[in-house]
Amino acid sequence: MRARSISAVTALAVTLGSVALIGSAAGSAVADSSAALPITSSGDIIVDGVHQRVFISDPSGGKVVATDYNGTVIGTITSLPQADGLELSADSATVYVAVPGADEIVAIDTATLTEAGRYATGDGTDPQHLALAGGKLWFGYGSVGHGNIGSLDLSGGQPQVSLAQEAEGTWKDAPLLDSAPGAPDTLAAGSRQYYFTLGIYDVSSGAADRTAFLGGQDAAIGNTAEDLALTPDGTDLVVATSAGDFQQVFRTSDLSQTIRYPSGYSAQRSVDVAPDGLVAVGTDTYANFTPQVSVYEPGGTAPRRTADFTDEQGGVSQETLLDHGDLAFAPDSSRLFAVTHGLSNKYSLRVVTDPGKAVTTVTVNAPATADRAKSLTVSGKVTNTLGLPAGTTVAVTRTDQESPNGKALPAATVKADGTFSFTDIPPAGGKVAYKVSYAGGADRTAASASDTVEVSRSSATLTVNRNGTVYDYASNVTFTAHLGATYKNRTLSLYADTAGDGKGKYLVKTGTVNSAGNLSVTLPLKRDTTVSASFSGDARTAPKTATSRVGAKVKVSLSLSRYYKTAKVNGQTKYYFRKKTNPLLTTTMTAYPGRSQKLEFQIYSAGAWRSAGYEYFKLDSKGKSVVELRGTHQTGYSMRVRSSYIDNSSNDTVNSTTHGSWKYFTFTS
């Protein structure tokens, strides 16, 4: 059977099915979407509006996959070899599947997604296409070279199968079948493989009585009937052909040609007609064109909506629509479902939302920058293939810091050419967004767009004291940030970034400045630290940040050992060593990975202290370094030594340069 949503149901059932979906369809339109399908082929697609489910048959996989309206798989029914045509019962309780690989028609419970029954059609029948009409389930069956129409009657106690309903030998393959709710006793058929052949049958008697026929080489319509669909009242048959850039419509009374639905492509692949008469035309990729679905209002000469499945690489389309059975409307026409096949052998369910509505596009153009409290102009355009009624207006919303949830502005009127413009005086600075919305209508989609303006703000004064100051290790230092005049916001956030701790900038205080505009925080300094104050801005004052970088010294001490005495000389403690003794110099310094200390020597000569050399020694993990002073020690000289941390030269940069105190010593005999 063709891709379709319902068939052979009463007008009451159609009405109730539509009403049941009104609540779920309310609100903003859902965007078109695509979802991957776990199938390796596609036979047919049908939509259950009551349960809001989509069924796709997979002949190669021998299964039927059920998804929700978003394409999410919710169930799989297996053991259906070569599963092909699908049909939905009038009450939406059952989906019937033609299973040619088992010569059966299988019933699936649409609520539980489980198999509900199997009905044999006869050995070698190969049932492929289904349609409900005249109280029976009709099936097109057969293989290459011969085909026919059969029926399955489930109304009695025992299923009854009747084969060979067409005695004329018309069909050379299993014919496509279709029916319509407004003509419950009419059955349409078409051949997909042998010339262009169509047949109309009256099935009111329980048998298929042919009432109209068109076929053979003299038909000259197209090579084959790729897909077909009856209009809701059954008066017309829309046919997709394998040749020609149109979909041909025939009267079912005599199969005479009436109108055509034009298409830009010559390869027509599929067709579906919605319960409200909308006609969907599917065209396949041809000469690197993109597969496309066009939707027409009944009798329309230009598409109301066109959906391009644009998945291209190097200018070559990566997807294709399939011959027959790849299109289906939801019963309320709110969505159109299409199965596509990618060049990578992946299948997708494409969902076109509001297929019967002409797509509206809104563009908005605002200046990049503007001055606060001064007039600016925003312009734009609303486009729609149907045009717009005179007097159409668009809603305008301004969003800024003073109206974060948006403030409605006066509506703008759209001119005959679709353009609009309006002026506004932005009261707040910063990023200001103008959103323009078109509400849409019964035959036009809603649409909106926005653009932003960077509106000027004044600059506040912001400072942090102590910049450039160096403090002793572990000093408690109070930093004060000062904020000048602002519009409303008087809150500051204070951050610290301590060198070498790996934490980066972290928040240490947030608060409102005092009456003098100050906010303070006290921090213990053990490493060089950057303190920053951040002002987030307000509607009229721009954000600002100020920083202060201060240094922290290390703790360092040096002790001497192996001396034989000490004495006070010129107010300094002096250490005395025998000339044959090697002094032991022990440095203790604030530890840091890889840190070294600088050991520096000086000798007193000619009335001044003069350099006697230095060397760096690595500290252990606890910050200790022990150095033995070896060599030939000369007596009679005054010397001194100190240990220092030198920023960068001591193998790190997390503290400020710190010199220890000098230790004085001499050698004696």
Side-chain angles (χ1 to χ4, degrees), residues 69-288:
Y69 272 13
N70 296 318
T72 302
V73 175
I74 56 176
T76 301
I77 302 90
T78 58
S79 301
L80 305 172
Q82 301 174 32
D84 198 348
L86 302 173
E87 179 62 298
L88 182 68
S89 65
D91 58 4
S92 293
T94 306
V95 165
Y96 296 100
V97 188
V99 186
D103 294 324
E104 291 176 327
I105 295 173
V106 176
I108 297 172
D109 187 308
T110 56
T112 62
L113 302 180
T114 57
E115 185 177 309
R118 285 181 177 252
Y119 309 100
T121 55
D123 292 343
T125 50
D126 294 336
Q128 297 176 37
H129 310 297
L130 303 178
L132 279 164
K136 293 183 179 181
L137 181 61
W138 298 83
F139 55 94
Y141 69 94
S143 56
V144 177
H146 65 279
N148 213 310
I149 298 173
S151 66
L152 172 63
D153 187 353
L154 298 174
S155 62
Q158 292 293 328
Q160 298 292 325
V161 174
S162 298
L163 300 176
Q165 294 281 336
E166 170 61 82
E168 302 293 334
T170 300
W171 306 107
K172 304 299 182 183
D173 60 351
L176 298 168
L177 300 180
D178 193 32
S179 56
D185 294 325
T186 298
L187 182 69
S191 175
R192 298 182 61 202
Q193 298 185 24
Y194 290 91
Y195 298 111
F196 189 86
T197 306
L198 299 176
I200 303 297
Y201 298 86
D202 180 353
V203 297
S204 59
S205 66
D209 298 322
R210 194 167 74 185
T211 59
F213 177 77
L214 178 66
Q217 299 184 53
D218 295 334
I221 301 298
N223 293 342
T224 58
E226 296 295 329
D227 199 6
L228 51 82
L230 283 166
T231 56
D233 60 5
T235 60
D236 291 300
L237 180 66
V238 187
V239 182
T241 70
S242 59
D245 57 356
F246 57 87
Q247 305 269 6
Q248 182 64 60
V249 180
F250 301 87
R251 289 190 182 92
T252 54
S253 58
D254 56 6
L255 288 177
S256 60
Q257 300 180 44
T258 59
I259 63 171
R260 293 178 174 181
Y261 292 106
S263 172
Y265 301 159
S266 61
Q268 310 301 312
R269 294 306 189 197
S270 55
V271 64
D272 193 25
V273 179
D276 62 3
L278 288 174
V279 177
V281 173
T283 55
D284 196 4
T285 302
Y286 182 74
N288 291 343

Side-chain angles (χ1 to χ4, degrees), residues 17-30 49-52 69 332 334-335:
S18 298
V19 170
L21 293 175
I22 288 176
S24 61
S28 301
V30 181
V50 172
H51 301 97
Q52 293 200 353
Y69 272 13
D332 63 351
S334 64
R335 293 170 177 81

Side-chain angles (χ1 to χ4, degrees), residues 567-586:
K568 286 287 185 178
V569 179
N570 297 325
Q572 301 287 346
T573 299
K574 192 172 186 177
Y575 296 85
Y576 291 83
F577 294 89
R578 303 294 184 185
K579 68 177 181 178
K580 293 184 179 181
T581 301
N582 293 328
L584 202 63
L585 314 176
T586 301

